[in-house]
Amino acid sequence: MTEVHAVVGGPAPAQAAPDHDRPHGYAGEARVRELLGRMTIEEKIAQLVGFWEKEDGEAVAPLQGEFGDAVKLEDFARHGLGHLTRAYGTRPVDAAARAAWLWQFQRDLVTGTRLGIPAIVHEECLTGLSAWKAATFPTPLGWGAAFDPELVTEMAAAIGASMRALGIHQGLAPVLDVIRDPRWGRVDECIAEDPYLVGTIGTSYVRGLQSQGVHATLKHFAGYSASRAGRNFAPVHAGPRELADVLFLPFEMAILDGNARSIMHSYTEIDGVPVAADPTMLTGVLRDRWGFDGTVVSDYYGVAFLNLLHHVAADHAEAAVQALTAGVDIELPTGDAYLALRDRVRAGKLDEALIDRAVLRVLREKLELGLLDATFTDEPPRAVDLDSPEHRSIARRLAEESVVLVANRGVLPLPAGRRMAVIGPNADRQAALFGCYSFLNHVLVQHPGVETGIEVSTALDAMRVEFGADLVTWASGCDVDTDDRSGFAEAVATASAAEVAVLVVGDHAGLFGRGTVGEGCDREDLELPGVQRELVEAVLATGTPVVLVLLTGRPYAVGWALSRCAAVVQAFFPGEEGAGAIAGVLSGRVNPSGRLPVSLPGSAGAQPYSYLHPTLGEGSEVTNLPATPAAAFGHGLSYTTFAHTGLSAPATAPTDGALQVTVCVTNTGAVAGDDVVQLYGRDLVASVTRPVAQLLGYRRVHLDPGQSVTVELTVPTTRLAFSDRTLTRVVEPGEVELWVGTSARRDTEALTTLVGDTVPVTTDSPRWTTSEIR
């Protein structure tokens, strides 16, 4: 058997920086410049702002209450409009009715404004299109756990098709922030703690979404996830090496290899300079170094925050000048700051050429999207199935691949016929399956009484179906995040009468303190929220075997449970089909194959922690506070066993070449299953300290019992590149240790030596490990 995949994560990437004029040529560029030449200053600025039609009490963005819409949309857009903000995703609306309204609004722009330019419509789409009755997929941590870029591409294409059908042109996803501290609330929006895994999975999402004619927006450039103490909006003090080698890498891949068309700046400040006002990042890195030629949009209200929160601008007008000069092209969600640019130009305090620069970028994007020729005289969609069987199938497969079996003391899979007690605050809650940016937790929670709009089984529902309703009893035990223990007695009695207890605990995703995880929902410790650990302890004391199911948006410090529970299953907000995936794993219908995309922490005191630490990051005998995680990055068990043998690598390889690495993988167990082959490396001696482990490549493989395959990984030496003492990204000669396993466990090892000169890395250098299965 020979199966060839050009790239771990999709089709072979283009290595050259994208040429924006390539699709349209000189005629397209001449057209947008001619259009710019006819614009008044008011018409130019109109293209640089969005409009968000909100109602009182709808709080889905930070400090949203500080801003208000002073004018109606029709008046606001009299000179045109750059973006229309969240036409479907602000409140529950019927998609067909809203599409009819949107088509009419766009027709009015075409016929009722002097230049006739439609608006770009953007929406959130992190776990699916954020709209009522739209499919909701696993959260990005689930994508990372699945280690399946091709399936993520398929998911994103399905999301993009729904968006395009509804007249949506730009999606505010994916999030490419590398996890640095699990206490940060927005961990549930992130993919992994490894930048290469984030880059390959994130770029695959970009490719899928943009294959449907919807532009992806990379979030949040950059450094946002490295905030001090894991607090949202907290200052970042990452050094230039950490920025270049860890935090920038996924964005670089998504731009150079995915041709991402839009970037959203980070809210944060780095060493005292807010990113939204930093030309070294938004122009120097993005455009001068990487050749990015799309649009930079502000995170919501991020320009005004230069005045309100960062205090580097005396007013909104000064904030607008700083952001525009740095390279922010479009202010979202409205024009609170950029509308003041007109007066700055007229007063001679701003060069209009900076406005022209941004307007040209917007017009080029609208040309790419076909908006400059759109008339909207066609009929809007009368019916769009936003949760089709195709969507459900993708959601189910991704959920099944994302569930991680962390520990198993022989109790799983559960045999049929056993009396089961299902206990816990997340057992019978639909919201427990979804992340912060799902429509249900992001929007619908503010509209009580409105139906969910999609079919969602809770974990309890799914287990009754999987094991038989007559064998399943249930008790809540406690809430997610209160100190109410009044349900403990019922939970203990229910567990005592059963043969096995399945405890479903974890998070509730929300916004700005309304959840245990999500934007603005940071934690000072990593214990299970509320009294959930006490509930688990009380049930453990009954002597009934306990299967702990973690439905969370971040990893928690559950090392105590790994040795005391009969099994521990981790599911990172697995979406609308997630309950069935969990039940299938417990029964054995699904053989678990997820791998941890982030380490399970040993304690909160060890944070921030990453498996990508140098030797002194481990702790050991040099401190009484070791940083050892409870379970390592890449860990995950199966109901079968896999052997990795015969790891082969060349004795030497040129520093400007590639490593041809092969390993034999055998299913040595009795059932079919998926293995995730993970290749790691360690630079033994370098000019700066290097991580003790670094993921170099990976490949998911399906094997029947007894089946063996050879996995060949071609690793460009640039996978071992880093910023040297001059902050030049290079590949240095020297010995490299290689192994297959997880970051902590080594199943088979090899040693190779890179020989030759120290080689600088450029944007033309390969970034992806390719693979073949033979």
Side-chain angles (χ1 to χ4, degrees):
M1 174 180 76
T2 299
E3 181 183 353
V4 178
H5 278 219
V7 176
V8 179
Q15 296 299 331
D19 176 1
H20 197 305
D21 295 335
R22 187 174 58 236
H24 306 287
Y26 176 78
E29 183 64 13
R31 181 180 182 187
V32 297
R33 289 186 178 274
E34 187 275 335
L35 190 56
L36 174 70
R38 293 194 285 123
M39 286 181 164
T40 65
I41 186 66
E42 290 84 4
E43 289 168 333
K44 291 176 182 178
I45 292 173
Q47 294 299 315
L48 305 185
V49 299
F51 186 90
W52 195 4
E53 193 175 31
K54 308 183 300 296
E55 296 176 356
D56 290 341
E58 292 175 335
V60 294
L63 299 182
Q64 187 174 313
E66 299 292 321
F67 302 89
D69 296 325
V71 295
K72 293 182 178 180
L73 174 58
E74 293 76 12
D75 296 329
F76 188 93
R78 66 188 183 279
H79 297 298
L81 185 64
H83 276 240
L84 185 63
T85 296
R86 298 185 64 170
Y88 296 89
T90 299
R91 62 191 67 90
V93 293
D94 177 78
R98 192 60 168 167
W101 173 88
L102 178 60
W103 256 246
Q104 183 59 54
F105 171 72
Q106 296 279 40
R107 277 196 295 268
D108 290 345
L109 284 178
V110 172
T111 61
T113 62
R114 189 174 72 91
L115 298 173
I117 304 172
I120 292 172
V121 181
H122 74 252
E123 288 290 354
E124 302 286 356
C125 57
L126 188 65
T127 59
L129 171 60
S130 183
W132 192 36
K133 300 185 179 182
T136 307
F137 299 90
T139 201
L141 268 177
W143 314 348
F147 278 79
D148 192 342
E150 289 82 6
L151 186 52
V152 170
T153 299
E154 189 178 345
M155 174 195 70
I159 295 169
S162 293
M163 296 174 75
R164 191 67 182 184
L166 292 176
I168 301 166
H169 312 102
Q170 187 163 332
L172 303 186
V175 171
L176 299 185
D177 294 299
V178 179
I179 297 169
R180 304 302 277 170
D181 191 328
R183 295 173 295 180
W184 189 47
R186 302 194 76 166
V187 163
D188 90 293
E189 301 176 49
C190 301
I191 295 169
E193 71 180 78
D194 178 82
Y196 182 67
L197 183 57
V198 176
T200 51
I201 296 290
T203 301
S204 298
Y205 180 97
V206 169
R207 289 171 174 162
L209 195 74
Q210 295 192 166
S211 73
Q212 302 303 307
V214 176
H215 284 181
T217 304
L218 310 181
K219 300 162 60 172
H220 308 85
F221 187 74
Y224 193 19
S225 57
S227 59
R228 283 194 166 184
R231 292 183 297 109
N232 199 37
F233 275 64
V236 169
H237 289 277
R241 186 169 289 104
E242 181 181 357
L243 285 170
D245 294 352
V246 178
L247 300 174
F248 285 173
L249 182 65
F251 294 92
E252 182 181 19
M253 294 175 71
I255 290 169
L256 296 178
D257 303 327
N259 195 23
R261 304 310 302 136
S262 187
I263 304 281
M264 177 178 282
H265 75 73
S266 164
Y267 282 132
T268 198
E269 61 170 89
I270 300 177
D271 198 23
V273 180
V275 174
D278 188 356
T280 63
M281 286 186 63
L282 299 184
T283 298
V285 174
L286 276 182
R287 299 193 186 276
D288 298 340
R289 186 188 307 174
W290 295 341
F292 174 67
D293 55 3
T295 57
V296 175
V297 302
S298 75
D299 205 341
Y300 281 15
Y301 307 114
V303 177
F305 288 164
L306 295 174
N307 168 30
L308 297 175
L309 297 181
H310 294 297
H311 304 296
V312 296
D315 53 32
H316 283 11
E318 186 178 333
V321 170
Q322 289 189 30
L324 183 72
T325 303
V328 178
D329 302 309
I330 302 162
E331 183 185 12
L332 298 181
T334 59
D336 298 275
Y338 272 22
L339 289 178
L341 290 172
R342 181 191 66 175
D343 292 340
R344 286 292 171 125
V345 171
R346 288 180 171 172
K349 297 180 179 179
L350 175 66
D351 186 349
E352 192 170 348
L354 288 172
I355 291 178
D356 292 350
R357 180 182 71 174
V359 173
L360 279 172
R361 292 168 181 167
V362 174
L363 293 178
R364 290 179 188 128
E365 182 179 20
K366 290 188 174 185
L367 180 66
E368 279 189 41
L369 290 165
L371 282 171
L372 295 188
D373 295 309
T375 62
F376 291 90
T377 54
D378 59 320
E379 287 297 314
R382 298 187 181 277
V384 178
D385 189 351
L386 300 178
D387 192 25
S388 68
E390 177 194 9
H391 288 93
R392 305 291 307 201
S393 173
I394 297 169
R396 174 184 53 78
R397 285 182 283 142
L398 188 53
E400 290 176 351
E401 289 187 1
S402 71
V403 176
V404 183
L405 180 58
V406 182
N408 186 18
R409 300 169 69 189
V411 70
L412 293 182
L414 295 172
R418 300 190 74 184
R419 299 189 312 277
M420 175 189 299
V422 177
I423 298 168
N426 276 349
D428 199 31
R429 284 197 321 117
Q430 289 182 332
L433 298 164
F434 302 115
C436 171
Y437 269 77
S438 66
F439 191 79
L440 189 148
N441 284 329
H442 200 70
V443 176
L444 209 56
V445 68
Q446 301 184 65
H447 298 270
V450 178
E451 64 175 340
T452 303
I454 55 176
E455 182 180 339
V456 181
S457 297
T458 67
L460 176 62
D461 296 333
M463 282 184 240
R464 284 172 171 162
V465 171
E466 193 81 24
F467 296 98
D470 56 329
L471 294 173
V472 176
T473 55
W474 121 268
S476 174
C478 67
D479 299 320
V480 170
D481 197 23
T482 71
D483 59 2
D484 183 1
R485 299 170 178 81
S486 60
F488 278 23
E490 181 187 7
V492 167
T494 303
S496 298
E499 294 176 89
V500 63
V502 176
L503 264 69
V504 188
V505 299
D507 276 319
H508 171 67
L511 287 165
F512 314 122
R514 299 196 296 269
T516 58
V517 73
E519 185 172 1
C521 297
D522 312 312
R523 303 293 291 185
E524 64 182 1
D525 63 46
L526 290 173
E527 290 293 329
L528 290 172
V531 294
Q532 292 184 78
R533 177 171 177 175
E534 293 181 39
L535 174 66
V536 179
E537 297 278 6
V539 174
L540 281 169
T542 67
T544 301
V546 170
V547 175
L548 186 66
V549 176
L550 299 159
L551 269 173
T552 71
R554 64 158 56 87
Y556 281 98
V558 293
W560 55 271
L562 301 187
S563 59
R564 297 177 57 201
C565 293
V568 176
V569 173
Q570 173 69 65
F572 294 111
F573 292 148
E576 64 185 20
E577 291 284 340
I582 292 168
V585 165
L586 297 188
S587 72
R589 175 175 55 83
V590 175
N591 191 350
S593 60
R595 302 293 186 264
L596 289 175
V598 59
S599 308
L600 288 189
S603 70
Q607 306 310 313
Y609 171 85
S610 168
Y611 93 93
L612 289 165
H613 60 262
T615 300
L616 291 182
E618 294 179 328
S620 66
E621 70 276 3
V622 303
T623 175
N624 65 325
L625 294 176
T628 308
F633 172 86
H635 169 74
L637 303 177
S638 170
Y639 294 147
T640 190
T641 53
F642 298 98
H644 304 124
T645 58
L647 181 66
S648 173
T652 62
T655 49
D656 60 352
L659 302 172
Q660 300 292 335
V661 181
T662 60
V663 63
C664 179
V665 186
T666 304
N667 182 344
T668 56
V671 296
D674 283 15
D675 186 26
V676 178
V677 177
Q678 303 167 52
L679 176 67
Y680 292 86
R682 179 180 186 180
D683 195 337
L684 295 181
V685 178
S687 59
V688 299
T689 60
R690 299 297 297 136
V692 297
Q694 176 185 354
L695 182 68
L696 299 182
Y698 61 92
R699 180 64 189 271
R700 174 179 277 268
V701 294
H702 180 81
L703 296 173
D704 292 325
Q707 183 182 4
S708 294
V709 297
T710 296
V711 177
E712 182 177 22
L713 298 163
T714 301
V715 184
T717 54
T718 45
R719 289 290 306 113
L720 291 158
F722 58 88
S723 299
D724 66 10
R725 296 191 185 192
T726 68
L727 296 178
T728 303
R729 282 184 59 79
V730 298
V731 179
E732 289 184 347
E735 287 188 316
V736 175
E737 202 172 31
L738 303 170
W739 67 94
V740 168
T742 70
S743 63
R745 188 192 75 241
R746 303 184 180 205
D747 292 343
T748 182
E749 302 177 49
L751 190 68
T752 191
T753 301
L754 301 184
V755 296
D757 296 330
T758 296
V759 178
V761 175
T762 71
T763 55
D764 292 326
S765 300
R767 286 165 290 277
W768 295 60
T769 293
T770 60
S771 68
E772 292 186 17
I773 296 178
R774 301 190 186 278

